[in-house]
Amino acid sequence: MSRQHRTTLRWLVAITTVTLVFDGYDLVVYGTVVPQFLRDPGQIGHLSVAQAGALGSYALMGVMVGALSAGAVGDHVGRRRIMIAGIIWFSVAMGLSAFATSIPAFGVLRFFTGIGVGALVATAAAMVAEFAPPHRRNVYNAIVYSGVPVGGVLAAVMALLTPGGDSWRGLFLFGAAPLVVLLPVTLLRLPESPKWLQARGHTERARLLSERTGVVLSGPVRAAEDDKVGFAALASRRYALPTVLLGLMSCSGLLLTYALNTWLPEIMKQSGFGTSYSLVFLLALNGGAVIGGLLASRAADRRGPQRVITSTFVLAAVSLVLLTVGLPLGALPALVAVAGIGTIGTQVLVYGFVANYYDTRARAAGVAWCAGFGRLGGIGGPLVGGALMSAGFSPHHAFYAFAGVAVLGALVTLFVPRRLSEEEDAAVESVPGSVPESVSSRSSADAAALVALGPSR
C-alpha cells in the first residue's frame, strides 16, 4: 500500500468512524432517557411503556427510509455526496430534538433523525470496501462500525454523569456536534471513490483521483448483466437469493441490537437493580461489542465472515439464556458484555460481509438494502420489548425471545451462498498468496480453479 493510499485510508476511517460514533450515540441515548420519560411526565408528556417502545421505533423507521433512499441514489450520485448530506441532516434533526416539548414533536424529530442516520450507515461500508486493501477489509470495516458501540458507551457514560430533570436535552443537543466538528473535515478530506467513478464510466476522473489517493484501479470493470446498477442489480439472477438472505440476517442482528439498547436499562431496573447499575449494564453491552467486534473481524479476514457471524449469533443466544439463570451479580456485567459481542458486534461484521459481497455497481444498494430492510428488525426490537413488558411478562421471557432471534440469525447466515465478486477476483490475482474471505473456507483446489477462471462466472 502506497503512502498516499495509507493517508487517504486513515482520513476515511477516521471520518466514517466518528460519523458512526454519533449514530451509536443516537441509538443508545434514547434508551438512557426512557426510564426518566416514563416516570416524569413533565418532560414530553405522559408516556406509557407501549408509547416508549413506539417512540424508539420512529427513529428506526427513519433509518429504513434513509438507508433505502441512499441506496436508490448512492450508486448513481456517488458516496461522498451521500455522506455529506447525511451528516447535515442527522445533526440538524438531533439538535432540534433537544427542544421538543410534546410526544408527537419528539416522535417526528426522531423519525427525521433516523433518515440521516440511515444514509450514513448505508454508505460507510461501501466507502470502506472500495478504499481498504482486500485482505484487510473486515478489520477496517470493524474499526469503522465499532464507532456504533463506542457511541453507545459515550451515551451511557454521559447519562451516568448527567443529573435528572430536563438535563436530557443537553444529551440530545450534544448529538448535533457533527455539524460543527465533523462536516468541515469531511468537506476537506473525504474523497469520492475512484472505483465508483470507474464503474460509472468516468475513466479520466477515476485515473486522476486514483493517482491522488493511491487507490489502485483494476482493469475495466465488466458490466453487470444488462448493465444493471443499484437496486436493479440486486434483483438480478446473480444477487436475488443472497440479497433476501442477507436482509434477513441483518434484520436479526438489528432487532437484537435495538431491543437490548432500548430496553436493557429498564429490564434490569425491573429485575431489582438501581438506575446506576442499569446504565452500567448498558455500558458493558456496548463495551463488549467494541472489543469483541474488533477481535472477531480479524478472525473474519482469516477464516471468512460467514462462519464467524454464525458463531457470534450462537454466542448471543447462549449468553442471553444464561442471563436468566440467577448468576452472581459479579458475573452479570461480563455476561452482558458477551451478549454485546453476539448482538451489536455481530451487526458490525454483517455490514462488512455485505459490503464485500457485492461489486461496485451494486455495493451501495446492497448495503442500503441490508441496513434498510434490516431496520424492520430494528423497528420490531423496541416494539417487541415494549409489548412483552407492558403485557406483564418477566425479564426472563424477553431474554428468551431475543435468544430465539439470535438462533434464527445463525440459521439464515448458514444458507447465504458463497460468491466471489469481480473485485475479489482481481484481488486474488494482484495479491500473491491472499485468499478472499468469501472463499476462505473452500479447499485450495477450489480457490485455484476460481482464480484460473478469472472474471467469468
Side-chain angles (χ1 to χ4, degrees):
M1 189 164 52
S2 66
R3 181 180 59 83
Q4 297 100 315
H5 192 180
R6 281 195 298 271
T7 301
T8 301
L9 187 58
R10 285 169 184 165
W11 277 110
L12 171 74
V13 169
I15 290 170
T16 51
T17 301
V18 173
T19 299
L20 293 187
V21 165
F22 282 92
D23 171 25
Y25 180 87
D26 172 71
L27 159 67
V28 175
V29 74
Y30 175 69
T32 68
V33 301
V34 163
Q36 183 179 351
F37 284 174
L38 290 173
R39 292 164 177 79
D40 185 0
Q43 299 306 317
I44 60 173
H46 292 274
L47 191 69
S48 68
V49 172
Q51 285 177 315
L55 280 180
S57 294
Y58 291 160
L60 306 181
M61 294 176 188
V63 171
M64 182 172 64
V65 172
L68 294 176
S69 299
V73 299
D75 287 315
H76 295 274
V77 305
R79 323 305 192 205
R80 184 175 186 271
R81 292 175 182 174
I82 299 296
M83 288 290 293
I84 291 170
I87 290 171
I88 295 172
W89 187 297
F90 162 83
S91 301
V92 171
M94 190 72 171
L96 291 175
S97 299
F99 300 98
T101 56
S102 67
I103 294 174
F106 186 78
V108 168
L109 288 168
R110 292 297 293 157
F111 174 80
F112 279 104
T113 301
I115 292 176
V117 171
L120 294 171
V121 170
T123 307
M127 293 286 286
V128 173
E130 292 177 4
F131 280 88
H135 60 292
R136 298 277 289 170
R137 283 177 179 169
N138 283 292
V139 167
Y140 279 111
N141 187 82
I143 292 171
V144 169
Y145 277 89
S146 67
V148 175
V150 167
V153 171
L154 177 62
V157 169
M158 290 189 66
L160 281 169
L161 299 176
T162 302
D166 62 355
S167 59
W168 67 269
R169 299 184 186 278
L171 295 176
F172 278 83
L173 193 60
F174 177 77
L179 191 65
V180 178
V181 300
L182 185 60
L183 181 61
V185 178
T186 304
L187 291 169
L188 289 173
R189 291 292 185 175
L190 186 69
E192 185 53 270
S193 165
K195 293 181 180 180
W196 174 82
L197 289 170
Q198 183 187 46
R200 296 297 291 159
H202 305 298
T203 308
E204 184 59 21
R205 287 178 60 195
R207 184 187 64 80
L208 293 173
L209 192 58
S210 173
E211 292 175 355
R212 182 164 67 85
T213 61
V215 175
V216 178
L217 297 174
S218 59
V221 177
R222 178 173 62 86
E225 63 179 75
D226 299 326
D227 290 324
K228 292 179 179 177
V229 177
F231 282 117
L234 301 189
S236 66
R237 184 175 58 189
R238 180 185 181 193
Y239 286 136
L241 176 61
T243 294
V244 172
L245 294 174
L246 291 169
L248 291 172
M249 181 176 68
S250 180
C251 192
S252 302
L254 286 169
L255 189 152
L256 295 169
T257 296
Y258 282 86
L260 289 173
N261 272 303
T262 299
W263 287 112
L264 185 63
E266 184 64 19
I267 288 173
M268 290 306 192
K269 196 172 183 65
Q270 289 192 13
S271 299
F273 297 97
T275 300
S276 295
Y277 273 118
S278 299
L279 291 174
V280 166
F281 287 123
L282 196 60
L283 185 65
L285 181 78
N286 286 276
V290 174
I291 299 171
L294 290 173
L295 293 176
S297 69
R298 294 179 63 86
D301 273 327
R302 293 194 305 269
R303 303 174 60 84
Q306 192 166 3
R307 71 172 62 172
V308 175
I309 291 171
T310 302
S311 301
T312 54
F313 267 130
V314 172
L315 189 67
V318 172
S319 59
L320 288 169
V321 170
L322 288 177
L323 282 171
T324 69
V325 300
L327 294 174
L329 174 61
L332 291 180
L335 197 56
V336 169
V338 174
I341 298 172
T343 54
I344 307 169
T346 294
Q347 191 59 30
V348 168
L349 298 175
V350 166
Y351 284 127
F353 182 27
V354 171
N356 295 317
Y357 195 91
Y358 296 97
D359 61 26
T360 298
R361 292 174 180 269
R363 180 166 288 130
V367 178
W369 160 259
C370 288
F373 179 79
R375 249 53 186 200
L376 291 176
I379 292 167
L383 291 175
V384 169
L388 289 172
M389 298 182 70
S390 61
F393 286 100
S394 71
H396 288 184
H397 289 93
F399 286 135
Y400 290 145
F402 298 150
V405 173
V407 172
L408 176 63
L411 292 174
V412 170
T413 305
L414 284 174
F415 287 99
V416 176
R418 294 187 180 92
R419 180 178 291 274
L420 277 173
S421 74
E422 291 153 19
E423 289 174 331
E424 287 171 330
D425 286 335
V428 174
E429 296 172 349
S430 61
V431 182
S434 69
V435 179
E437 59 269 12
S438 57
V439 294
S440 60
S441 61
R442 298 184 181 187
S443 67
S444 59
D446 289 339
L450 286 168
V451 173
L453 287 173
S456 63
R457 294 287 179 265

Coordinates of all heavy atoms in Angstrom, one line a residue, residues 74-76 78-79 130 192-207 217-224 227-230 358-364 422-423:
G74 N -27.3 6.2 -4.2 CA -25.9 6.2 -3.9 C -25.0 5.6 -5.0 O -23.9 6.1 -5.2
D75 N -25.5 4.6 -5.7 CA -24.7 4.0 -6.8 C -24.8 4.9 -8.1 O -24.1 4.6 -9.1 CB -25.2 2.6 -7.1 CG -24.7 1.6 -6.0 OD1 -23.6 1.7 -5.6 OD2 -25.6 0.8 -5.6
H76 N -25.6 5.9 -8.0 CA -25.7 6.8 -9.2 C -25.0 8.1 -9.0 O -24.4 8.7 -9.9 CB -27.2 7.1 -9.5 CG -28.0 5.9 -9.9 ND1 -28.0 5.4 -11.2 CD2 -28.7 5.0 -9.2 CE1 -28.8 4.3 -11.3 NE2 -29.2 4.0 -10.1
G78 N -22.9 8.9 -6.2 CA -21.6 8.7 -5.5 C -21.7 8.7 -4.0 O -22.7 9.1 -3.4
R79 N -20.6 8.2 -3.4 CA -20.6 8.0 -1.9 C -20.4 9.3 -1.1 O -21.1 9.5 -0.1 CB -19.5 7.1 -1.5 CG -19.2 5.9 -2.4 CD -20.3 5.0 -2.8 NE -19.9 3.8 -3.4 CZ -20.6 3.1 -4.2 NH1 -21.9 3.5 -4.5 NH2 -20.2 2.0 -4.8
E130 N -14.3 0.0 -0.8 CA -13.7 0.5 -2.0 C -12.3 1.2 -1.8 O -11.7 1.5 -2.7 CB -14.6 1.4 -2.8 CG -15.8 0.5 -3.3 CD -16.9 1.4 -4.0 OE1 -16.7 2.6 -4.2 OE2 -17.9 0.8 -4.4
E192 N -14.1 11.2 -3.2 CA -15.0 10.3 -3.9 C -14.3 9.0 -4.1 O -13.1 8.9 -4.1 CB -15.6 10.9 -5.2 CG -16.6 10.0 -5.9 CD -17.8 9.7 -5.0 OE1 -17.7 8.6 -4.3 OE2 -18.8 10.4 -4.9
S193 N -15.0 7.9 -4.3 CA -14.4 6.6 -4.6 C -13.9 6.5 -6.0 O -14.8 6.6 -6.9 CB -15.4 5.5 -4.3 OG -15.0 4.3 -4.9
P194 N -12.6 6.3 -6.3 CA -12.2 6.1 -7.7 C -12.8 4.9 -8.3 O -13.1 4.9 -9.5 CB -10.7 6.0 -7.5 CG -10.3 6.6 -6.2 CD -11.5 6.3 -5.3
K195 N -13.1 3.9 -7.6 CA -13.7 2.7 -8.1 C -15.1 2.9 -8.6 O -15.6 2.4 -9.6 CB -13.6 1.5 -7.1 CG -12.2 1.1 -6.8 CD -12.2 -0.1 -5.8 CE -10.7 -0.5 -5.6 NZ -10.6 -1.6 -4.6
W196 N -15.8 3.8 -7.8 CA -17.2 4.1 -8.2 C -17.1 5.0 -9.5 O -17.9 4.7 -10.4 CB -17.9 4.9 -7.1 CG -19.2 5.4 -7.6 CD1 -20.4 4.7 -7.6 CD2 -19.5 6.7 -8.1 NE1 -21.4 5.5 -8.1 CE2 -20.9 6.7 -8.4 CE3 -18.8 7.9 -8.3 CZ2 -21.5 7.9 -8.9 CZ3 -19.4 9.0 -8.8 CH2 -20.8 9.0 -9.1
L197 N -16.2 5.9 -9.6 CA -16.1 6.7 -10.8 C -15.8 5.8 -12.0 O -16.3 6.0 -13.1 CB -15.0 7.8 -10.6 CG -15.3 8.9 -9.6 CD1 -14.0 9.7 -9.4 CD2 -16.4 9.8 -10.2
Q198 N -14.9 4.9 -11.8 CA -14.5 4.0 -12.9 C -15.8 3.1 -13.3 O -16.0 3.0 -14.5 CB -13.4 3.0 -12.5 CG -12.9 2.1 -13.6 CD -11.9 1.1 -13.1 OE1 -12.1 0.5 -12.1 NE2 -10.8 0.9 -13.8
A199 N -16.5 2.6 -12.4 CA -17.7 1.8 -12.7 C -18.7 2.6 -13.4 O -19.5 2.0 -14.2 CB -18.2 1.2 -11.4
R200 N -18.8 3.9 -13.1 CA -19.8 4.8 -13.8 C -19.3 5.3 -15.1 O -20.0 6.1 -15.7 CB -20.2 5.9 -12.8 CG -20.9 5.5 -11.6 CD -22.2 4.8 -11.8 NE -23.2 5.7 -12.4 CZ -24.3 5.3 -13.1 NH1 -24.5 4.0 -13.3 NH2 -25.1 6.2 -13.5
G201 N -18.1 5.0 -15.5 CA -17.6 5.4 -16.8 C -16.8 6.7 -16.8 O -16.4 7.2 -17.9
H202 N -16.6 7.2 -15.6 CA -15.8 8.5 -15.6 C -14.3 8.1 -15.5 O -13.6 8.3 -14.4 CB -16.2 9.3 -14.3 CG -17.7 9.6 -14.3 ND1 -18.3 10.4 -15.3 CD2 -18.6 9.2 -13.4 CE1 -19.6 10.5 -15.0 NE2 -19.8 9.8 -13.8
T203 N -13.8 7.6 -16.5 CA -12.4 6.9 -16.5 C -11.3 7.9 -16.2 O -10.4 7.6 -15.4 CB -12.2 6.3 -17.9 OG1 -13.2 5.4 -18.2 CG2 -10.9 5.5 -17.9
E204 N -11.4 9.1 -16.8 CA -10.3 10.1 -16.6 C -10.3 10.6 -15.2 O -9.3 10.7 -14.5 CB -10.4 11.2 -17.6 CG -9.3 12.3 -17.5 CD -7.9 11.7 -17.8 OE1 -7.8 10.6 -18.4 OE2 -6.9 12.3 -17.3
R205 N -11.5 10.9 -14.7 CA -11.6 11.4 -13.3 C -11.1 10.3 -12.3 O -10.5 10.6 -11.3 CB -13.0 11.8 -13.0 CG -13.5 13.1 -13.6 CD -14.9 13.4 -13.3 NE -15.1 13.5 -11.8 CZ -16.3 13.4 -11.2 NH1 -17.4 13.2 -12.0 NH2 -16.5 13.5 -9.9
A206 N -11.5 9.1 -12.6 CA -11.1 8.0 -11.8 C -9.6 7.8 -11.8 O -9.0 7.6 -10.7 CB -11.7 6.7 -12.3
R207 N -8.9 8.0 -12.9 CA -7.5 7.8 -13.0 C -6.8 8.9 -12.2 O -5.8 8.7 -11.4 CB -7.0 7.9 -14.5 CG -5.5 7.7 -14.7 CD -5.1 8.0 -16.1 NE -5.3 9.3 -16.5 CZ -4.5 10.3 -16.2 NH1 -3.4 10.1 -15.5 NH2 -4.7 11.6 -16.6
L217 N -6.6 1.0 -9.2 CA -7.7 0.5 -10.0 C -7.4 -0.7 -10.8 O -6.3 -0.8 -11.3 CB -8.2 1.6 -11.0 CG -8.7 2.9 -10.3 CD1 -9.0 4.0 -11.4 CD2 -9.9 2.7 -9.5
S218 N -8.3 -1.6 -10.9 CA -8.1 -2.8 -11.8 C -8.4 -2.5 -13.2 O -8.6 -1.3 -13.5 CB -9.0 -3.9 -11.3 OG -10.4 -3.5 -11.4
G219 N -8.4 -3.5 -14.1 CA -8.8 -3.2 -15.4 C -10.2 -2.8 -15.6 O -10.9 -2.7 -14.6
P220 N -10.7 -2.5 -16.8 CA -12.0 -2.1 -17.0 C -13.0 -3.0 -16.3 O -12.9 -4.3 -16.4 CB -12.2 -2.1 -18.5 CG -10.8 -2.0 -19.0 CD -9.9 -2.7 -18.1
V221 N -14.0 -2.5 -15.6 CA -14.9 -3.2 -14.9 C -16.0 -3.8 -15.8 O -16.6 -3.1 -16.6 CB -15.7 -2.4 -13.8 CG1 -16.7 -3.2 -13.1 CG2 -14.7 -1.8 -12.8
R222 N -16.2 -5.2 -15.8 CA -17.1 -5.8 -16.6 C -18.5 -5.4 -16.3 O -18.9 -5.3 -15.1 CB -17.0 -7.3 -16.5 CG -18.0 -8.1 -17.3 CD -17.7 -9.6 -17.2 NE -17.8 -10.1 -15.9 CZ -19.0 -10.5 -15.3 NH1 -20.1 -10.5 -16.0 NH2 -19.0 -11.0 -14.1
A223 N -19.3 -5.0 -17.2 CA -20.7 -4.6 -16.9 C -21.5 -5.7 -16.3 O -21.4 -6.8 -16.6 CB -21.4 -4.1 -18.2
A224 N -22.3 -5.3 -15.3 CA -23.2 -6.2 -14.7 C -24.2 -6.6 -15.8 O -24.4 -6.0 -16.8 CB -23.9 -5.6 -13.5
D227 N -26.3 -4.3 -17.8 CA -25.8 -3.0 -17.3 C -26.7 -2.6 -16.1 O -26.9 -1.4 -15.9 CB -25.9 -2.0 -18.4 CG -24.8 -2.3 -19.4 OD1 -23.7 -2.7 -19.0 OD2 -25.1 -2.0 -20.6
K228 N -27.2 -3.5 -15.3 CA -28.0 -3.1 -14.1 C -27.1 -2.5 -13.1 O -26.0 -2.9 -12.8 CB -28.7 -4.3 -13.6 CG -29.8 -4.8 -14.6 CD -30.5 -6.0 -14.0 CE -31.6 -6.5 -15.0 NZ -32.3 -7.7 -14.5
V229 N -27.6 -1.4 -12.4 CA -26.9 -0.7 -11.4 C -27.9 -0.5 -10.2 O -29.1 -0.4 -10.4 CB -26.5 0.7 -11.9 CG1 -25.8 1.5 -10.8 CG2 -25.5 0.6 -13.1
G230 N -27.3 -0.5 -9.0 CA -28.1 -0.2 -7.8 C -29.1 -1.3 -7.5 O -28.8 -2.5 -7.6
Y358 N -21.0 -7.7 -2.6 CA -21.5 -7.1 -3.9 C -20.3 -6.4 -4.6 O -19.3 -5.9 -4.0 CB -22.6 -6.1 -3.6 CG -23.8 -6.7 -3.0 CD1 -24.0 -6.6 -1.6 CD2 -24.8 -7.2 -3.8 CE1 -25.2 -7.2 -1.1 CE2 -25.9 -7.8 -3.3 CZ -26.1 -7.8 -1.9 OH -27.3 -8.3 -1.4
D359 N -20.4 -6.3 -5.9 CA -19.4 -5.5 -6.7 C -19.8 -4.0 -6.6 O -20.8 -3.6 -6.1 CB -19.3 -6.0 -8.1 CG -20.6 -5.9 -8.9 OD1 -21.4 -5.1 -8.6 OD2 -20.7 -6.7 -9.9
T360 N -19.0 -3.2 -7.3 CA -19.1 -1.7 -7.1 C -20.5 -1.2 -7.6 O -21.0 -0.3 -7.0 CB -18.0 -1.0 -7.9 OG1 -16.7 -1.4 -7.3 CG2 -18.1 0.5 -7.8
R361 N -21.0 -1.8 -8.7 CA -22.2 -1.3 -9.3 C -23.4 -1.5 -8.4 O -24.4 -0.8 -8.5 CB -22.5 -2.0 -10.6 CG -21.5 -1.6 -11.7 CD -21.7 -2.4 -13.0 NE -20.8 -2.1 -14.0 CZ -21.0 -1.1 -14.9 NH1 -22.1 -0.5 -14.9 NH2 -20.1 -0.9 -15.8
A362 N -23.3 -2.4 -7.5 CA -24.5 -2.8 -6.6 C -24.1 -2.6 -5.1 O -25.0 -2.9 -4.3 CB -24.9 -4.2 -6.8
R363 N -22.9 -2.1 -4.8 CA -22.5 -2.1 -3.4 C -23.3 -1.2 -2.5 O -23.8 -1.6 -1.4 CB -21.0 -1.8 -3.3 CG -20.5 -1.8 -1.9 CD -19.0 -1.7 -1.9 NE -18.4 -3.0 -2.3 CZ -17.5 -3.1 -3.2 NH1 -17.0 -2.1 -3.8 NH2 -17.0 -4.3 -3.6
A364 N -23.5 0.0 -2.9 CA -24.3 0.9 -2.0 C -25.7 0.4 -1.9 O -26.3 0.5 -0.8 CB -24.3 2.4 -2.6
E422 N -16.3 -9.5 -8.5 CA -15.3 -9.2 -9.5 C -14.0 -8.6 -8.9 O -12.9 -8.9 -9.3 CB -15.9 -8.3 -10.6 CG -16.9 -9.0 -11.4 CD -17.9 -8.0 -12.0 OE1 -17.6 -6.8 -12.1 OE2 -19.0 -8.5 -12.4
E423 N -14.2 -7.7 -7.9 CA -13.1 -7.1 -7.3 C -12.2 -8.1 -6.6 O -11.0 -8.0 -6.5 CB -13.5 -5.9 -6.5 CG -14.0 -4.8 -7.3 CD -14.6 -3.7 -6.4 OE1 -15.1 -4.0 -5.3 OE2 -14.6 -2.5 -6.8

